[in-house]
Amino acid sequence: MSIIQTIRDRAAVIMIVIIAVSLIAFILQDAFSGRGGMGSQSTTIGKVNGREVDYVEFQKMVEAQEAQYAQSGMPVNESTRQTIRENVWNQFIGEELLTAETKELGMQVSPKELNDMFFGDNPPQDLRQQFTNPETGQFDGEALKAAIRNLKSQKNTPQAKQFAEQYIPAIGKSRLQEKYFSLVSSASYVPKWMIDKMASDNSAIANISFVNVPYATVSDSTVKVSDDDINKYVSAHKEQYKQEKTRSIVYVAFDAAPSGKDTAETLAQIQQLKEEFTTTPETEQFLNRVGTESPFFDGYVLKSKLQVVNADTIRSLAPGQVYGPYLDGGNFVYAKMLSSRSIPDSVKCRHILISTQTGLPDSTAKTRIDSIAGAIKSGADFKALAEKYSDDPGSKSNGGEYEFSSLNFASLAKEFAETVFYGAAGDKKVVKTQFGYHYIEVMSQKNFETAYKIAYLAKPILASNETETTASNAATQFAGDARSLSSFKDNVKKQALQEFVAADIKENDFAIPGVGSSRELVQKVFGADKGDVLEPVNVGDKYVVAAVTEVNAEGTMSAAKARPLVEIFVRNEKKAEEIRKKLGNAATLEAIAGASGTQVLRADSVSFASTFVQGAGSEPKLVGMAFNKANLNKVSPLINGTSGVFAVKTESIGAKGNDAMNPQQMKESAQMQMKQFGGRSALEGLRKSATIKDNRSKFF
């Protein structure tokens, strides 16, 4: 409830926001998480333009963000770690690139500017919200200064270090990035001639006659596309066919999910516990003793917020009554109604805290809070006493006031929460919590609703050792019999197994599509050669045996890799050659139509602003030729289009009225668009020109 906790929580938020906003061009990379060995003597996890990223430094930032996630009540699992590691990696890249660029430009954030950011007219949003006076609606800079002084006085505490080492630098970096983006955006300019050209192009229309000889008139079977043809095409379009280091696999999976027998045994186990669960008066102790997948919550949940399986049935239970067993996900569950009561969804309260966490003796703290309670009872001003004596800097500046929703209940000290939610408006009392002694006044309570205290006995349906062993043995036997890719496929057929494909696995991936999250399997795939069959890997409720089918190095795609993407273009080029030979020297549209067995088509009001031509579809090259004045009343050279070979004769070029947007509006719109994309384009440019070495896969 203190400002220390608030700043710590909000530091996590602002760090995440800064990364997301300033590195938007970078976060569209493949995610990764997990950790592997550190066999290499080097601790360099990567390099950005020669600047080494040390593993220890990197991991320290990862762990700090993991702690922030946990403090915010967010689960820290493999998926979360994957996101965090990716964010931290992108942060290193972005900070290094932007730091170097802003340094070269001579940009900086002065101490005076940083001070103005905190205490000026436009402080960070999170601090503005925390230190806005609820009575005046004005930001209270003096209260913020007091809170920061309090943090500084704590010197080496984790909260003070986090504020000094993370929050303040993050604010400075954010401002420096804002300045850089502003500089780039301010350079955006659209000249008048460009607007005039855009307006002219958008209003241009043409009437044309044309002939379309579709590629489909040449049979695919007559056109052979060799690997040399593919490589030649890819070489001419290298930028479009770059690839990361990837590998592809085929795999089979042996099911280790709980069997029917396993499910029946779990059901029998939980049924044996029902009677004691129903009759015991010590429900929490019982659940702690026998174990449950749904931890006991010693509080009430509002009817509108009780979102569980069979909620309507559970709400209708009488106190002490048990419902179940029923299935909830992978668990068999019994629900026991303990009690119900009416509680508010939101409360407003105020308090004064005398902390015992600073070393103050318990008896002294109790004496002080009793004196404060007596003074208030005698008419002393609550707000003045809070500002003078409360040890909670998060509320002392506004008279000790807080507003909570029922969702905050679990995050508050139990005794404090019960006082403000279970008591009545107007209650005033001394309460002891783990933080010390509070004098609490319940100011108001709103939106009362029936709430329920419910206990859940949940037992997961797990695979037995027998089920696990059967699946493991089957996978091991298969892998032993399939020591090459060809024998792998033979055994798949012999055993009538289903073969799956997972393509384009990246070195830093932590999950494989169709398989699930398994860093172990990814590492084994990248430790193998093409054609290798891997030993079984346990992934979730199955054992996976994989064979490496494709190894792709970083760089330009091979013919085999590029063929599915470019074969149609190469084939159409070859078909175009055949069509041109067939047309020979035909010089008129009628002659071309006669030689190809097609007909002369006509399209009116073809728009320069659109690639669509009636009777042809989307054909950008045809539209371009239509507006080439060299083709006015003349037959154009043959054009290799998207769907066939074309010849066009432009009959007229004119303009239509364009009242949709005046030139000034067009200029403002174009300039705004340039500004919006300016920062991102600059970051993309810095990224493309940077030398980045990524060694993360060796560490995680």
Side-chain angles (χ1 to χ4, degrees):
M1 295 186 301
S2 67
I3 185 55
I4 298 173
Q5 178 66 42
T6 301
I7 289 180
R8 179 169 59 190
D9 292 342
R10 295 189 180 276
V13 175
I14 195 169
M15 290 294 288
I16 292 170
V17 170
I18 290 170
I19 293 169
V21 172
S22 66
L23 304 179
I24 189 170
F26 300 149
I27 63 175
L28 301 178
Q29 303 174 21
D30 301 297
F32 70 100
S33 64
R35 179 177 176 182
M38 295 251 321
S40 172
Q41 292 182 352
S42 173
T43 60
T44 301
I45 202 168
K47 291 183 180 180
V48 181
N49 283 340
R51 195 275 206 193
E52 294 186 351
V53 182
D54 185 72
Y55 170 81
V56 175
E57 180 183 4
F58 182 88
Q59 190 61 16
K60 181 179 178 182
M61 292 186 66
V62 169
E63 291 172 355
Q65 286 201 24
E66 286 180 359
Q68 291 165 356
Y69 269 65
Q71 291 168 5
S72 301
M74 300 174 66
V76 181
N77 49 35
E78 280 306 307
S79 177
T80 306
R81 291 189 181 93
Q82 175 181 345
T83 301
I84 290 173
R85 289 194 182 105
E86 187 69 11
N87 283 344
V88 171
W89 174 249
N90 287 323
Q91 181 180 348
F92 268 109
I93 294 174
E95 286 185 358
E96 180 60 30
L97 297 177
L98 287 172
T99 297
E101 190 72 5
T102 53
K103 183 178 181 180
E104 185 175 344
L105 293 170
M107 300 172 69
Q108 59 181 336
V109 178
S110 67
K112 181 179 179 181
E113 185 177 0
L114 191 62
N115 186 72
D116 184 63
M117 288 176 65
F118 277 90
F119 308 116
D121 296 331
N122 190 29
Q125 183 63 29
D126 58 317
L127 295 182
R128 174 182 288 277
Q129 291 176 347
Q130 178 64 23
F131 290 94
T132 293
N133 189 313
E135 296 179 358
T136 64
Q138 299 297 311
F139 171 68
D140 191 343
E142 292 303 316
L144 174 58
K145 289 180 181 178
I148 292 176
R149 283 196 299 270
N150 183 61
L151 274 177
K152 289 182 176 179
S153 70
Q154 299 178 30
K155 295 183 179 179
N156 295 324
T157 64
Q159 296 91 338
K161 285 184 176 180
Q162 187 176 53
F163 183 75
E165 297 174 9
Q166 294 184 32
Y167 190 85
I168 293 179
I171 292 294
K173 289 175 182 176
S174 177
R175 174 54 63 88
L176 194 59
Q177 291 166 5
E178 288 175 6
K179 292 172 119 178
Y180 176 75
F181 294 145
S182 177
L183 178 67
V184 172
S185 298
S186 297
S188 302
Y189 175 70
V190 181
K192 182 179 183 300
W193 66 262
M194 184 180 291
I195 296 299
D196 292 342
K197 183 70 168 59
M198 289 170 59
S200 175
D201 290 345
N202 289 339
S203 63
I205 57 173
N207 298 325
I208 65 172
S209 294
F210 66 97
V211 174
N212 174 15
V213 186
Y215 294 130
T217 59
V218 180
S219 174
D220 285 355
S221 62
T222 65
V223 179
K224 304 299 180 184
V225 179
S226 68
D227 284 352
D228 287 342
D229 294 328
I230 297 290
N231 286 330
K232 183 179 178 181
Y233 184 92
V234 169
S235 180
H237 306 81
K238 287 183 178 179
E239 288 299 313
Q240 297 177 41
Y241 299 102
K242 287 183 176 180
Q243 66 179 8
E244 298 181 51
K245 183 192 295 186
T246 63
R247 300 200 172 189
S248 298
I249 62 172
V250 291
Y251 68 92
V252 292
F254 296 86
D255 188 14
S259 65
K261 180 181 178 182
D262 299 334
T263 301
E265 289 179 352
T266 303
L267 178 58
Q269 178 191 10
I270 195 171
Q271 285 175 332
Q272 291 176 357
L273 297 172
K274 178 182 179 181
E275 183 177 353
E276 186 177 359
F277 181 51
T278 304
T279 59
T280 180
E282 304 293 342
T283 302
E284 182 176 5
Q285 291 82 345
F286 168 79
L287 292 175
N288 290 337
R289 174 166 55 84
V290 302
T292 177
E293 289 295 295
S294 299
F296 180 76
F297 173 53
D298 189 14
Y300 290 83
V301 179
L302 292 175
K303 178 180 179 180
S304 60
K305 293 181 171 60
L306 185 63
Q307 299 177 350
V308 295
V309 175
N310 300 313
D312 289 340
T313 301
I314 293 171
R315 283 194 293 261
S316 66
L317 296 174
Q321 192 174 0
V322 171
Y323 170 72
Y326 60 90
L327 276 173
D328 185 358
N331 301 316
F332 277 120
V333 183
Y334 279 111
K336 180 180 180 180
M337 178 64 71
L338 299 179
S339 61
S340 63
R341 65 184 302 164
S342 179
I343 66 172
D345 183 41
S346 64
V347 298
K348 183 177 182 180
C349 64
R350 57 181 178 176
H351 83 130
I352 297 172
L353 168 66
I354 303 299
S355 175
T356 55
Q357 294 189 319
T358 59
L360 186 70
D362 186 277
S363 58
T364 304
K366 181 64 166 64
T367 300
R368 288 184 184 178
I369 204 70
D370 286 342
S371 297
I372 289 171
I376 292 174
K377 188 175 182 179
S378 299
D381 183 65
F382 196 112
K383 182 176 181 180
L385 292 176
E387 291 177 351
K388 185 174 182 179
Y389 295 110
S390 182
D391 290 325
D392 176 16
S395 65
K396 66 184 301 178
S397 62
N398 66 336
E401 292 185 9
Y402 278 116
E403 291 189 30
F404 299 112
S405 80
S406 60
L407 296 177
N408 299 126
F409 189 101
S411 64
L412 298 172
K414 183 174 182 292
E415 300 84 358
F416 190 104
E418 290 181 347
T419 298
V420 298
F421 281 96
Y422 298 168
D427 284 355
K428 302 174 183 178
K429 61 190 299 187
V430 172
V431 175
K432 183 180 181 182
T433 71
Q434 61 186 3
F435 302 105
Y437 286 91
H438 308 252
Y439 179 74
I440 303 172
E441 178 183 344
V442 182
M443 302 174 73
S444 64
Q445 299 171 320
K446 297 179 181 178
N447 304 322
F448 278 83
E449 191 177 332
T450 302
Y452 306 90
K453 181 183 287 189
I454 304 167
Y456 300 94
L457 172 60
K459 289 292 182 181
I461 304 171
L462 303 175
S464 64
N465 290 336
E466 179 183 356
T467 300
E468 286 275 351
T469 301
T470 300
S472 176
N473 288 345
T476 301
Q477 182 66 46
F478 179 91
D481 293 340
R483 300 317 304 161
S484 67
L485 184 57
S486 60
S487 61
F488 179 99
K489 290 183 173 294
D490 288 342
N491 280 322
V492 168
K493 292 180 180 178
K494 288 178 183 178
Q495 298 185 34
L497 299 173
Q498 186 172 1
E499 180 183 285
F500 301 93
V501 176
D504 298 330
I505 302 167
K506 298 179 179 64
E507 197 170 17
N508 286 317
D509 283 350
F510 274 76
I512 296 177
V515 178
S517 180
S518 178
R519 181 62 185 158
E520 178 187 1
L521 181 55
V522 173
Q523 289 175 323
K524 286 189 174 183
V525 168
F526 276 86
D529 295 322
K530 183 177 179 179
D532 285 354
V533 178
L534 308 180
E535 294 298 321
V537 176
N538 182 209
V539 184
D541 58 359
K542 56 185 175 288
Y543 284 85
V544 175
V545 180
V548 181
T549 57
E550 194 175 276
V551 174
N552 299 305
E554 183 178 4
T556 305
M557 291 182 181
S558 65
K561 185 71 174 176
R563 181 175 287 274
L565 303 174
V566 307
E567 185 173 17
I568 187 173
F569 303 123
V570 178
R571 178 173 280 112
N572 285 345
E573 285 183 353
K574 288 178 170 287
K575 287 185 175 184
E577 293 175 7
E578 295 298 319
I579 291 172
R580 286 169 179 269
K581 289 178 183 178
K582 183 178 180 179
L583 296 179
N585 296 322
T588 66
L589 293 182
E590 290 74 15
I592 294 171
S596 61
T598 59
Q599 58 183 330
V600 178
L601 302 174
R602 180 178 176 80
D604 293 333
S605 299
V606 175
S607 172
F608 185 83
S610 171
T611 63
F612 182 82
V613 178
Q614 186 177 0
S618 180
E619 290 289 347
K621 290 183 180 180
L622 177 59
V623 173
M625 277 292 192
F627 286 90
N628 185 341
K629 292 184 178 180
N631 300 320
L632 190 60
N633 297 315
K634 295 180 181 179
V635 177
S636 72
L638 295 176
I639 311 158
N640 292 354
T642 302
S643 61
V645 176
F646 293 86
V648 62
K649 182 170 74 173
T650 303
E651 298 172 357
S652 65
I653 299 176
K656 62 180 179 179
N658 185 14
D659 300 326
M661 188 177 295
N662 63 44
Q664 183 60 33
Q665 289 176 322
M666 290 179 65
K667 181 174 182 176
E668 292 174 358
S669 177
Q671 197 148 317
M672 177 63 69
Q673 190 174 36
M674 289 179 68
K675 287 184 177 182
Q676 289 175 344
F677 289 98
R680 186 174 72 181
S681 299
L683 287 171
E684 289 174 346
L686 292 175
R687 179 65 180 262
K688 287 181 179 179
S689 63
T691 301
I692 299 171
K693 181 67 176 177
D694 186 354
N695 296 326
R696 290 176 293 166
S697 63
K698 298 179 181 178
F699 293 81
F700 301 101

